[in-house]
Amino acid sequence: GAGVSQSPSNKVTEKGKDVELRCDPISGHTALYWYRQSLGQGLEFLIYFQGNSAPDKSGLPSDRFSAERTGGSVSTLTIQRTQQEDSAVYLCASSLAGLAQETQYFGPGTRLLVL
Amino acid sequence: AQKVTQAQTEISVVEKEDVTLDCVYETRDTTYYLFWYKQPPSGELVFLIRRNSFDEQNEISGRYSWNFQKSTSSFNFTITASQVVDSAVYFCALSEAPRGTYKYIFGTGTRLKVLA
């Protein structure tokens, strides 16, 4: 079946503009995660959605970052007033039920460049 | 505190050599899970293996093998007879149970270059 998909693949924006990144998880997966991978760094957790529960936003680096998940499926990560340090690859992952032992399946990522 | 350390930033080997990628973790939990992912140049993370904290048996899958040692908090990954297609960044990750968000804690990755 289809894996996790993300769009756009690449995004170039100017400092100060807002951007929206989209993630479409694997069908039937109730848990969805956003991570950020900065150049030369590991993956940094941003936010987690599980079913209808309140999301865990503990990893969001600032209030310029927000995310929503509509209908328990597609998620959008929004970065307002982008800064150059926001340049990174944003990865989305999903898992069946959000349990610790589950494998998370990752999308191809959105490469964001803020000029 | 939870932490995953991959001390090797980059490793270069010649094809057919064996190579071991190190992963050391820290956790307060007695129940946890360890993962290895491969990130080829295309960028998509590919799942390789999952191991739970109660299963210290080593695992072999083709040319890949994993050595889990709780006594040293390590979960090392060995590629036998490396091939050019093994060139990628490899990430080790930790997931803890039973509380809260089951996010992964990732190491910073090891870039493996296999030279022909």
Side-chain angles (χ1 to χ4, degrees), chain B residues 20-116:
Chain B
T20 295
L21 309 182
D22 297 334
C23 173
V24 174
Y25 61 92
E26 295 176 31
T27 177
R28 295 169 297 175
D29 283 325
T30 55
T31 302
Y32 53 90
Y33 302 86
L34 296 162
F35 302 80
W36 275 96
Y37 281 82
K38 174 182 180 180
Q39 187 177 43
S42 62
E44 193 156 344
L45 281 161
V46 177
F47 167 74
L48 295 177
I49 191 172
R50 176 185 65 221
R51 174 64 79 217
N52 75 58
S53 54
F54 297 108
D55 182 2
E56 287 193 73
Q57 273 195 328
N58 292 330
E59 181 156 340
I60 298 174
S61 176
R63 296 184 298 106
Y64 295 170
S65 63
W66 290 269
N67 184 305
F68 176 34
Q69 293 197 343
K70 289 178 75 170
S71 60
T72 55
S73 296
S74 65
F75 186 42
N76 297 337
F77 172 31
T78 297
I79 302 174
T80 303
S82 59
Q83 300 176 2
V84 172
V85 293
D86 296 327
S87 296
V89 181
Y90 291 85
F91 289 97
C92 180
L94 165 72
S95 176
E96 297 173 314
R99 70 179 74 88
T101 299
Y102 302 127
K103 62 190 178 191
Y104 286 1
I105 308 298
F106 281 92
T108 51
T110 296
R111 181 178 300 277
L112 174 64
K113 293 185 177 179
V114 181
L115 308 173

Side-chain angles (χ1 to χ4, degrees), chain A residues 6 13 21 31 37 42 48 50-51 53 55 58 68-69 77 79 90 93 95 103 110:
Chain A
Q6 292 185 245
T13 191
L21 313 179
Q37 183 177 20
Y48 160 75
Q50 168 52 39
S53 302
S58 60
E68 63 177 21
R69 189 178 184 192
L77 176 69
I79 309 174
Y90 289 82
S95 69
T103 298
T110 293

Side-chain angles (χ1 to χ4, degrees), chain A residues 42-64:
Chain A
L43 282 80
E44 170 192 17
F45 166 78
L46 297 178
I47 189 169
Y48 160 75
F49 296 91
Q50 168 52 39
N52 296 321
S53 302
D56 179 344
K57 305 178 182 180
S58 60
L60 294 179
S62 78
D63 58 9
R64 296 185 296 104

Side-chain angles (χ1 to χ4, degrees), chain A residues 13-89:
Chain A
T13 191
E14 294 179 349
K15 178 181 172 181
K17 295 284 178 81
D18 297 353
V19 295
E20 284 190 353
L21 313 179
R22 176 189 167 104
C23 171
D24 204 340
I26 292 172
S27 178
H29 281 194
T30 62
L32 186 149
Y33 305 77
W34 282 98
Y35 294 86
R36 178 170 71 175
Q37 183 177 20
S38 303
L39 188 63
Q41 301 295 313
L43 282 80
E44 170 192 17
F45 166 78
L46 297 178
I47 189 169
Y48 160 75
F49 296 91
Q50 168 52 39
N52 296 321
S53 302
D56 179 344
K57 305 178 182 180
S58 60
L60 294 179
S62 78
D63 58 9
R64 296 185 296 104
F65 288 72
S66 63
E68 63 177 21
R69 189 178 184 192
T70 53
S73 181
V74 172
S75 176
T76 302
L77 176 69
T78 301
I79 309 174
Q80 296 179 309
R81 305 180 302 282
T82 52
Q83 303 294 312
Q84 288 180 333
E85 60 263 28
D86 299 334
S87 296
V89 177

